[in-house]
Amino acid sequence: MVQEVLINDDDYYVPDANQLVTEDDTPVDNFASEKQQRLLVGSLYSTLQQQTFLAAANVGIYHTDGQPAIVPDVFLSLDVQVPENWWEKQNRCYMVWRFGKPPEVVLEIVSNKEGDELGKKLKIYEQMRASYYIVYDQTQQLGEKVLRVYELRGRRYFETSENWLEQVGLGVTLWEGKFEERQDTWLRWCYQDGNVLSTGDERAEQERQRAEQERQRAEQAEQRTQLLADRLRAMGIDPDTL
């Protein structure tokens, strides 16, 4: 007979957040990486406004007691959110034991060959059990592939040719265009049909274009009405009496 063991709150061990390094204020990013991170995080928050999730750039993730935090360039965790008092020490970074789950997606932007994105970091994220690990190597520091997507299957990561992240309901795609006045190739979130998630600026521009189209349609309707009235008057008919 298997005896059930109950763990009460007094016996459940939770690492002391006061002993953890939640930030060290070390500047590490270049202009391109910083802007790419902002595009990825910002487009999630500007588009998925009805969903509960947490996305962040350069925020540490503590996954195992006694091990230092790992700091992905971007991560996405569904169905969780930052606690209201995010200035408290235990709420300043992502502690897996507090959120109850690892992020679904962790993403690294390769700047050089020193990050070991395909070695040590891959193993850590694999152990952490993040569902997807994405490596964006825009300058091809690690080989010919610009984009690598790894999916957790069982206990191991397997590289996949699919850029659609089924468990997340989003995909990633390479997109040519302008972001914050910089024309380049960008990594972006997308829907299954390939359309990218819009940034706040793009949404504002789309709204402006829709408003302009409505204005033009209203002007055209007014012009047609005026033309019809003029023709009726030329025929001796007062349009105001109709």
Side-chain angles (χ1 to χ4, degrees):
M1 179 178 179
V2 177
Q3 187 175 16
E4 183 179 3
V5 179
L6 299 178
I7 301 176
N8 60 44
D9 291 341
D10 294 333
D11 295 329
Y12 187 72
Y13 172 71
V14 176
D16 183 3
N18 292 318
Q19 304 302 315
L20 304 179
V21 178
T22 55
E23 61 275 311
D24 61 13
D25 297 324
T26 302
V28 294
D29 276 322
N30 55 66
F31 291 125
S33 293
E34 187 276 335
K35 195 175 287 287
Q36 175 65 80
Q37 292 163 9
R38 194 164 64 253
L39 171 58
L40 288 166
V41 173
S43 59
L44 287 170
Y45 280 104
S46 65
T47 304
L48 306 181
Q49 297 179 8
Q50 305 304 315
Q51 297 187 32
T52 300
F53 66 91
L54 173 57
N58 278 331
V59 173
I61 300 175
Y62 276 97
H63 56 96
T64 304
D65 182 34
Q67 296 296 318
I70 187 167
V71 186
D73 286 312
V74 172
F75 74 78
L76 168 63
S77 187
L78 302 178
D79 302 318
V80 300
Q81 55 189 348
V82 177
E84 184 174 348
N85 190 350
W86 59 8
W87 287 110
E88 289 184 1
K89 183 74 170 179
Q90 68 270 20
N91 297 333
R92 291 187 178 186
C93 64
Y94 196 103
M95 302 177 190
V96 171
W97 52 85
R98 289 188 63 84
F99 285 93
K101 57 184 283 292
E104 276 75 17
V105 183
V106 287
L107 188 149
E108 294 286 353
I109 301 168
V110 180
S111 300
N112 50 52
K113 297 181 180 179
E114 300 174 6
D116 204 14
E117 285 84 4
L118 302 182
K120 181 179 179 180
K121 285 185 178 178
L122 185 148
K123 291 298 182 184
I124 292 174
Y125 293 132
E126 187 178 66
Q127 179 187 8
M128 190 173 74
R129 303 191 63 74
S131 300
Y132 298 98
Y133 174 40
I134 298 171
V135 180
Y136 179 43
D137 186 10
Q138 205 273 349
T139 57
Q140 298 175 294
Q141 297 285 327
L142 307 180
E144 295 183 359
K145 289 186 178 181
V146 172
L147 183 63
R148 294 176 173 87
V149 178
Y150 296 89
E151 182 179 15
L152 189 67
R153 301 173 187 168
R155 298 172 54 217
R156 296 287 180 263
Y157 273 140
F158 290 86
E159 188 173 359
T160 174
S161 59
E162 290 289 331
N163 291 349
W164 176 250
L165 315 179
E166 183 66 35
Q167 298 181 52
V168 179
L170 290 172
V172 287
T173 187
L174 298 179
W175 177 83
E176 295 281 346
K178 184 179 289 188
F179 172 59
E180 294 183 349
E181 301 305 316
R182 181 74 185 196
Q183 182 75 27
D184 210 332
T185 300
W186 303 96
L187 180 64
R188 300 194 62 166
W189 304 103
C190 65
Y191 298 107
Q192 200 159 16
D193 61 6
N195 288 324
V196 297
L197 273 64
S198 300
T199 65
D201 287 344
E202 287 170 339
R203 287 170 65 87
E205 176 61 20
Q206 290 164 4
E207 289 298 326
R208 188 198 67 76
Q209 290 179 2
R210 278 195 287 268
E212 177 64 18
Q213 290 169 359
E214 288 294 332
R215 186 190 65 79
Q216 291 176 359
R217 281 194 288 266
E219 284 186 353
Q220 291 169 359
E222 184 177 354
Q223 290 171 359
R224 287 194 295 267
T225 300
Q226 184 62 46
L227 180 60
L228 177 59
D230 291 343
R231 288 179 178 175
L232 288 172
R233 290 190 182 98
M235 296 169 60
I237 303 173
D238 184 356
D240 296 331
T241 62
L242 297 179

